[in-house]
Structure formats: structure tokens, C-alpha cells
Amino acid sequence: MTYQTLTTQIDGMASDFLFLDDRDIDIASAGKFLNYLDQIVAEGEKVGAAPILKVSRSLSHILGKWLIDQVKDKEAGFGMIEKGISLMQEVAESYKNTGAYGGDVGPFVADCANLLGEDIPATEVSTEAVSTASDVKTGVPAAEIAAAAPPREAAAPVDQLQDDSLLKDFIVEASEYIDEIEVNILNLEQEPENKDYINAIFRPFHSIKGVASFLNLTIIRDLAHKLENLLDKARNAELDVTPPVIDVVLDGADALKVLVNKLKTDPESSQKIPEGLDLDDLKKRIQMVEEGRVDIPAKKKLGEILVEDGVISQETLKKGLDVAEKKPGTKIGEALISEGDVTPKQVSQALRKQVEQVSDASTIRVDTRKLDDMIDMVGELVITQSMVQQDLNMSLHADRNLMRDIAQLFRITSGLQRASTGLRMIPIKQTFQRMSRLVRDLSKAAAKNVAVEMEGEETEIDRNMVDEIYNPLVHMIRNSVDHGLEVSADRLRAGKPEKGLIRLSAYHRGGNIVIEIADDGRGLNKEKILEKAIKNRVIQSGDGLTDAEIYRLIFLPGLSTAEKVTDISGRGVGMDVVKQAVEKLRGKIEIESKVGEGTTFITRFPLTMAIIDGMIVKVGPERYILPTTAIRQALRPARESYNNVVGKGETINVMGQLMPLVRLYQLFGIEPEHKDPWEAIGVVVEGEDRSKCLLVDKIVGKAEVVIKSLGEGFKNIKGISGGAILGDGQVGLIIDPEGLFDFSEK
Amino acid sequence: MDKSIKILIVDDFATMRKVIRNLLKQSGYENIVEAEDGVNALKILKSQKIDFIVSDWNMPNMSGLELLKAVRADEDLKTLPFLMVTAEALQENVVAAVKAGVSNYIVKPFTSETLDEKIKKIMEKM
């Protein structure tokens, strides 16, 4: 065993220590020493020099306390570190010469603890050193340290911040954060172990606390701090996320919301608790949950319920339990029935009571995964049904009775499909309400007067889609409030009502949900868009562009026309990101705008991500599914419309526009029925920013198909987004236009 | 001391950035840029010359500590002054930051004077 490395490390630290100025340890030196000590601990463990470990851990601890200003007597602390270093030198030297150390480092470790005011008997010194190290690792609860820490620096007086808009900003941002908490906590309830969700809830509380402390909002700060501590424990796995924890965090978020809202109407209210809000009770509950004193109400045993209801006596129950025990596999209810103590009806009533304890009778919570599985299975059933139908249509001599029964089966299957898809549907109302709250907050921040109107809130949408569409919608709303609507003075000058209007409407159209966000503001400025697009070299000139085409330019990257970046919209995310987000969900976005009258964003989303509305096309023997949303038109190209320009590739002239021709059979290596475009069918398909004409043999029909993933192995195939089982049981691949275009250009 | 140094504020909470910006302005620092998280901060550090970083500890995507480590690992930014803003002086966190090479830390809430003092102290050592 060589101790060379160890002595070199200790000597290095000693010499650096010697060169410190003014017997003071600055942060850079402390960092250097802490890193030295880490190395020494690692090396000490390697060579098994236990006394070194004890000393170096004590020194690390002193340095840590020094850094957070908890070493009262700096001179003594400095002396202690000095002493520790020479002690380590002595121990290392001894190990180097004899392979052991005869002295005792216990007194030194105890001195260190004394210095820090930590009361540890010398005999337990070694375990203490270890436990300190582990404390440091797991993170001492913030509250404990805070209690020992020097008194907080007084908050910067709000007037020192000289900006009353800060409070407004805080209200808007904090409200948004609280909304975020609500969403994440519902996710957390599904996956209580998920650290990401815990973090996502912890952080907003933490941020709210931080700003509140600057703005002297003591009540908000204290509450956020308590909730943050609770979540910190959950984060460090010191606390299980049980329903009571979730409840208390939700209640806490609600209370914060009330407090923050109160600031809006009454900025002076920051020091008093609004009426009707029992913060003391809430804090008490937080504490109880934190100490793990609230348990999930345990299910009562069947026997207990029977005794409570007076059906049997305590003795009868005991007798029954003995009987049940003798015969393994016998439940207490069965035993009691077989003994003739109770009737089966009494047992079933008690069982029902037992179940009702844990669940509300009229609604039950179901894991969404189970729901998805079921809907998937129903999808399969529908496919099988259409397979049976095809078989039947082919056999001419089918039994009349059989035909009738099967027709009945079909009706039931369709009903089942409708019902099961309906399970996951929820009204868009909740999303709209969140957005109208957002409008309110945003308009306050932008000092604009805005009213919100809602239409079609009852329109239903897949639960899985709700969270997905929220962010793009929020962004469009931000845009409308911030850039679309004018300030009151400008509106009055333009002869409009002072109050701006944002209308949210939703309706179903052709298997899609359409959501419109309309404002009655100034409308899009065509000249400005063109100017910017030309400046950014997106287009050469605006000649020949229709209004709709000009508006569509704002969906290109880097083309926001707002003159100033504001706190609300200026976050580096433009309409291009919105468009991408919408398209990722297989949705579409359009703009309508009139100068002086307003702008409307029209978004269309599929009702569900599980089913796709597609057109089935045939190429040779294979069938493919094209998403209907991507199809612009289908045609049989005329011989004259076909062009082959050297260097530019093949094109088809579709109503005056030259569309690049993509021969599907070439891409997929299939032998087609027709190779000449004028004998085949051309389908004009739109990608993200280009359209092409796909050449297929024929169009088979339209169908709604259940999307199936192709599994891990085929996940990254360009041009194919999934597969589906078609009516005859064969598999058809679903085409992803954008990916296919990329593939065709290679 | 030179008050024209370019300071980068990193915090995910926009209001917090504004608070710090205001406090800096009161001490006469006018040259300020902002980033909402560590990832964006690194982008800014790559594209402009920054003289001083004031970064929050707890941020999504990339925490203040991760940003600090990334900065110290970068040959061009290795010695860049880095002031960490924390909610409380938690020994574990402070030690981790100091080991990673933080220039100093400051505990919320603070006044413009304290902030100015910390900045001056760090800049004097440069």
C-alpha cells in the first residue's frame, strides 16, 4: 500500500493554506480546500486510513458552515482548520512509515463539533462524522437551517424597487404558475413517484416565494414557503405522495390564488388575510401531512362493518374468524354464512358499504391507460366487424337468420364504439375558462380593457388532446391581447367601443373540433409583414401574393411583426412554433384578418389522436393511407400537364401550379399497375410548407382507421407514421407527408 | 468601479428578473441582458461578451449549478464572475456551488446595496 498520493494531496492543501491573506478564507480558496478534502476522503477510503477520513470530514463540515456564515468565531475556526491540516499530515506520515496511526483523532473531531456548537460526546465522534456527511448529502430540511441561520436581511422595501408594475407582473406570472401547479398535480396523482412532476410543482412555489420576499408580501411568502418545504420532502423521498398530500397542496394552491387575486383589487391587502380564508387551519394541515400524521383512511374490515351494523356480535365474529382460519382460502363472509350467523344478503350489503367507503358512488376514477386499452380493443372489434361484413357480402347463400343477428351485432358494436370513445371526451369548457382567466390577467398587465365571450363551451374533445392544445392556444391569445387589440385611446379614435373583445368559440366540423380565437383589434398589417419578410429574405417581393398568403407568412420562423418585445409575448416564441405545435397534433391553422376590424385564428384539431380520417390509395398490390387533412385534391393528370425539366425533376401542372411529382412506387420499390401519370391518379398532398403530387394507381376509398404504432424497431422510418388494419384484415401503412417529401428529395 | 459591465441575469421567473434588474439599475448598472434558463444563458454567452452572471439556483431545464459547471468547463468562460442567487443559505447547496467554482452567492431577498457590494467584491478580485 502506498500513501504517496495521500501525502501529496495533504501537503498541497497545507501549502495553499499557508499562503492565505489576512487569515481569511475567501470563497475561491474554500472551494479549492473542499475539493482537496474530497480527494483526500476518496484516497483515504482507498487506502483505508480511517482517522484521515474523520479529520477531513470535520474540516469539510467547518468549511461548509464557514461558507454559510455559521462559524461565529472566525479566528478559532481558522485555527481549527490549521490544526486539522497538520493533524492530517501527522497521520499520513505515520501511515506512510508504519502503516498505522497510534494516536487518537477523537478529541480533534470533538473540538470541531464544539466550535460549531454541535453537542456531540467524544465517544460517538466517528458515527457523528459519518452521519454529518450523509446529512449533507440528503439535504438538511431547509427550515432547520433557516432557523439556525442569522436573521434574514430585511426585504428590499418595495419603494426601493421603484416600480409598481412589478406587483402587476407578479400577479400575472404567479397566477400562471399556480395554474401550472394545478395541471401538474393532477399528473402527479396518477404517478405519485414521478420526480419530474414533483419538481414541476415545487419550482413554482419556490419562485413565488422568492419574488414575494422581495415585494414584502409576507403572507404569500410564508404560505409558499411551507408548501415548498412539504414538496421538498416529497422530492427527497422523505414523504410519500398520498392523497392527503395532494389535497393539501391543491388547497394551498387555491389559497395562494385567493391571496394573489386579492392583490389585484386591493394592493394594500398584502399584510392582512382575506376574510373566509383560514390560513391557520391550512398551515396546521400542511404540518400534519408533513409529519405523516394523516393516513389514507384504511378500508374497514368486513367483520367490523357487520358488528357495527349490529348484524353479529363481537363473539360471533371471533368464532367466524376461527372457522375461516381453519379452512384456508375461506373468506370471513363465507365462513359466517356457512355457520348460519348471517344471510348472504347481509354480507353483500356490508361488502357494498366497504366499497363505498373508498369511492364515490356515482363516479369512479379510472387509470387513463386502462381506458386507452379498452378503446383500442373496441377499435379492433370494429375492424373485425367490418371483416365479417365483407366476408358475408361475398357469400351469396348466407342464412337469413344469421344475417339478421349479425346486423344486430353490428349495431351494438357501433354503439359500443361511440360509447367508449365518449368516455374520454370532456367539454372544452374548462380549457376556455382557463383561457378567459388568462385574458383577464394579460389585459391587466398590458393595461388594456378586454372582454371575453365564449361560445360552444360544451363542445367535447378527447381528454388526451386537452393538454396538448392548451399551449398553442395560449400563445395565440397572448398574441391577440398583446398585439391584436389596441389600447383604449386608439380604439376610441378609430370609432370602436373602448373595450376590446376576444371571442373564443368551439364547434365540431367533419370529425374535427374547430377552435376560433377572434379579436376585434387592428388586424394584421400586410405592409409590415411583407417588409419584414423581404428584409429577412423569406420572399423576394410581395407581387402576386394574395392577402391570405401574406398572412400565412407570419407562421414562418422569425417573422413576428410586433415592434416591441413585451413581457407578455416577447419570449422568443413566435407563431412558427404555434403552427408546428398545431401540426404535430395533426391540426391546421388559418388566419382571417381585416385591417381595422380584427384578426381570427382558426384552428382545427382531430377529436382524438387514436383515430385518423384517411384516404386509402393503392399502389401495385399495396395499400397506403393518406391523412385526409393533408390532401388538397386528387386528379387524373392530362398528358399535356406532365413536364420533365432537366435538373428540376418531373412536375404536373395542377390548375396553373407546377407540382413536383412523387412516384410512390419508386420510393417504396413496388411494381405499379401504371407508370404513365396520365393513366394513374395524382393526389396533391400538403406538407408543412410545400405541396407535391403523389402518383398512385387508384383511390380505394375513405376510411376512419385506428392508428397502430409499428413498434420500436420501425419508429424512425421516414415517410411512414404508423399502420392500420384495414377492412379485410390486411395492414395498410399510414403516410406522413412531410417525412415522405424529405425522403423523396434525397 | 466600472459600472458599464455587461451583466446577464438568469432566472425562469420573469418578475424576478425584473426585480434584479431594478436593483442593479439603482446601483448604476445599466448594461443588462436576461435569459430565462441555463440553456438560453449559454446561447447568450456564446454570442455576446458578458462580464458578469447573476443566476438563480432553481430553474427548469438546466439548474444554476449545471449552468455554473458548464461555464467553468468552457475554456473562454472559465473565469467569468458568477453570482448565485439562492432562496436560503443551505450548506449542501452552497458547498456544491463553491466546489464548482462559484464566485459568491446571495440570499433572497436582498437590497441593492448588498447586491452592489457582492458585485464589487467579486470584480475587485478579477
PDB file of all heavy atoms in Angstrom, chain A residues 411-422:
ATOM      1  N   ARG A 411     -74.908  -3.216 -35.011  1.00  0.00           N
ATOM      2  CA  ARG A 411     -75.456  -2.024 -34.360  1.00  0.00           C
ATOM      3  C   ARG A 411     -74.859  -1.864 -32.971  1.00  0.00           C
ATOM      4  O   ARG A 411     -74.476  -0.779 -32.566  1.00  0.00           O
ATOM      5  CB  ARG A 411     -76.975  -2.122 -34.281  1.00  0.00           C
ATOM      6  CG  ARG A 411     -77.668  -1.492 -35.479  1.00  0.00           C
ATOM      7  CD  ARG A 411     -79.131  -1.239 -35.183  1.00  0.00           C
ATOM      8  NE  ARG A 411     -79.881  -2.457 -34.898  1.00  0.00           N
ATOM      9  CZ  ARG A 411     -80.298  -3.308 -35.847  1.00  0.00           C
ATOM     10  NH1 ARG A 411     -80.066  -3.063 -37.119  1.00  0.00           N
ATOM     11  NH2 ARG A 411     -80.971  -4.402 -35.516  1.00  0.00           N
ATOM     12  N   ILE A 412     -74.792  -3.011 -32.256  1.00  0.00           N
ATOM     13  CA  ILE A 412     -74.272  -2.940 -30.890  1.00  0.00           C
ATOM     14  C   ILE A 412     -72.801  -2.514 -30.902  1.00  0.00           C
ATOM     15  O   ILE A 412     -72.370  -1.683 -30.112  1.00  0.00           O
ATOM     16  CB  ILE A 412     -74.433  -4.305 -30.185  1.00  0.00           C
ATOM     17  CG1 ILE A 412     -75.918  -4.636 -30.076  1.00  0.00           C
ATOM     18  CG2 ILE A 412     -73.790  -4.276 -28.809  1.00  0.00           C
ATOM     19  CD1 ILE A 412     -76.192  -6.031 -29.589  1.00  0.00           C
ATOM     20  N   THR A 413     -72.057  -3.069 -31.846  1.00  0.00           N
ATOM     21  CA  THR A 413     -70.638  -2.724 -31.922  1.00  0.00           C
ATOM     22  C   THR A 413     -70.451  -1.231 -32.155  1.00  0.00           C
ATOM     23  O   THR A 413     -69.627  -0.587 -31.502  1.00  0.00           O
ATOM     24  CB  THR A 413     -69.956  -3.500 -33.056  1.00  0.00           C
ATOM     25  OG1 THR A 413     -70.391  -4.840 -33.008  1.00  0.00           O
ATOM     26  CG2 THR A 413     -68.455  -3.449 -32.916  1.00  0.00           C
ATOM     27  N   SER A 414     -71.236  -0.662 -33.080  1.00  0.00           N
ATOM     28  CA  SER A 414     -71.089   0.773 -33.346  1.00  0.00           C
ATOM     29  C   SER A 414     -71.435   1.568 -32.109  1.00  0.00           C
ATOM     30  O   SER A 414     -70.766   2.553 -31.775  1.00  0.00           O
ATOM     31  CB  SER A 414     -71.998   1.235 -34.476  1.00  0.00           C
ATOM     32  OG  SER A 414     -71.978   0.312 -35.506  1.00  0.00           O
ATOM     33  N   GLY A 415     -72.493   1.127 -31.429  1.00  0.00           N
ATOM     34  CA  GLY A 415     -72.882   1.825 -30.197  1.00  0.00           C
ATOM     35  C   GLY A 415     -71.771   1.776 -29.178  1.00  0.00           C
ATOM     36  O   GLY A 415     -71.450   2.769 -28.524  1.00  0.00           O
ATOM     37  N   LEU A 416     -71.169   0.590 -29.067  1.00  0.00           N
ATOM     38  CA  LEU A 416     -70.084   0.406 -28.108  1.00  0.00           C
ATOM     39  C   LEU A 416     -68.909   1.321 -28.453  1.00  0.00           C
ATOM     40  O   LEU A 416     -68.290   1.938 -27.592  1.00  0.00           O
ATOM     41  CB  LEU A 416     -69.642  -1.059 -28.129  1.00  0.00           C
ATOM     42  CG  LEU A 416     -68.531  -1.449 -27.172  1.00  0.00           C
ATOM     43  CD1 LEU A 416     -68.971  -1.221 -25.740  1.00  0.00           C
ATOM     44  CD2 LEU A 416     -68.145  -2.908 -27.364  1.00  0.00           C
ATOM     45  N   GLN A 417     -68.640   1.438 -29.737  1.00  0.00           N
ATOM     46  CA  GLN A 417     -67.525   2.294 -30.148  1.00  0.00           C
ATOM     47  C   GLN A 417     -67.795   3.755 -29.780  1.00  0.00           C
ATOM     48  O   GLN A 417     -66.941   4.441 -29.235  1.00  0.00           O
ATOM     49  CB  GLN A 417     -67.283   2.182 -31.653  1.00  0.00           C
ATOM     50  CG  GLN A 417     -66.005   2.891 -32.050  1.00  0.00           C
ATOM     51  CD  GLN A 417     -65.859   3.045 -33.543  1.00  0.00           C
ATOM     52  OE1 GLN A 417     -66.833   2.970 -34.290  1.00  0.00           O
ATOM     53  NE2 GLN A 417     -64.637   3.257 -33.986  1.00  0.00           N
ATOM     54  N   ARG A 418     -69.029   4.172 -30.067  1.00  0.00           N
ATOM     55  CA  ARG A 418     -69.377   5.553 -29.733  1.00  0.00           C
ATOM     56  C   ARG A 418     -69.246   5.785 -28.229  1.00  0.00           C
ATOM     57  O   ARG A 418     -68.660   6.765 -27.790  1.00  0.00           O
ATOM     58  CB  ARG A 418     -70.809   5.860 -30.182  1.00  0.00           C
ATOM     59  CG  ARG A 418     -70.894   6.440 -31.576  1.00  0.00           C
ATOM     60  CD  ARG A 418     -72.249   7.120 -31.779  1.00  0.00           C
ATOM     61  NE  ARG A 418     -73.377   6.237 -31.487  1.00  0.00           N
ATOM     62  CZ  ARG A 418     -73.847   5.318 -32.346  1.00  0.00           C
ATOM     63  NH1 ARG A 418     -73.289   5.175 -33.530  1.00  0.00           N
ATOM     64  NH2 ARG A 418     -74.859   4.551 -32.017  1.00  0.00           N
ATOM     65  N   ALA A 419     -69.789   4.830 -27.457  1.00  0.00           N
ATOM     66  CA  ALA A 419     -69.771   4.991 -26.009  1.00  0.00           C
ATOM     67  C   ALA A 419     -68.345   5.016 -25.468  1.00  0.00           C
ATOM     68  O   ALA A 419     -68.003   5.822 -24.611  1.00  0.00           O
ATOM     69  CB  ALA A 419     -70.559   3.873 -25.353  1.00  0.00           C
ATOM     70  N   SER A 420     -67.506   4.151 -26.008  1.00  0.00           N
ATOM     71  CA  SER A 420     -66.155   4.067 -25.449  1.00  0.00           C
ATOM     72  C   SER A 420     -65.317   5.271 -25.831  1.00  0.00           C
ATOM     73  O   SER A 420     -64.540   5.773 -25.030  1.00  0.00           O
ATOM     74  CB  SER A 420     -65.474   2.768 -25.882  1.00  0.00           C
ATOM     75  OG  SER A 420     -65.236   2.789 -27.260  1.00  0.00           O
ATOM     76  N   THR A 421     -65.495   5.764 -27.053  1.00  0.00           N
ATOM     77  CA  THR A 421     -64.755   6.980 -27.398  1.00  0.00           C
ATOM     78  C   THR A 421     -65.269   8.132 -26.562  1.00  0.00           C
ATOM     79  O   THR A 421     -64.512   9.022 -26.176  1.00  0.00           O
ATOM     80  CB  THR A 421     -64.903   7.346 -28.893  1.00  0.00           C
ATOM     81  OG1 THR A 421     -65.459   6.241 -29.568  1.00  0.00           O
ATOM     82  CG2 THR A 421     -63.599   7.696 -29.512  1.00  0.00           C
ATOM     83  N   GLY A 422     -66.572   8.080 -26.275  1.00  0.00           N
ATOM     84  CA  GLY A 422     -67.176   9.149 -25.474  1.00  0.00           C
ATOM     85  C   GLY A 422     -66.633   9.211 -24.065  1.00  0.00           C
ATOM     86  O   GLY A 422     -66.620  10.254 -23.441  1.00  0.00           O
TER      87      GLY A 422
END
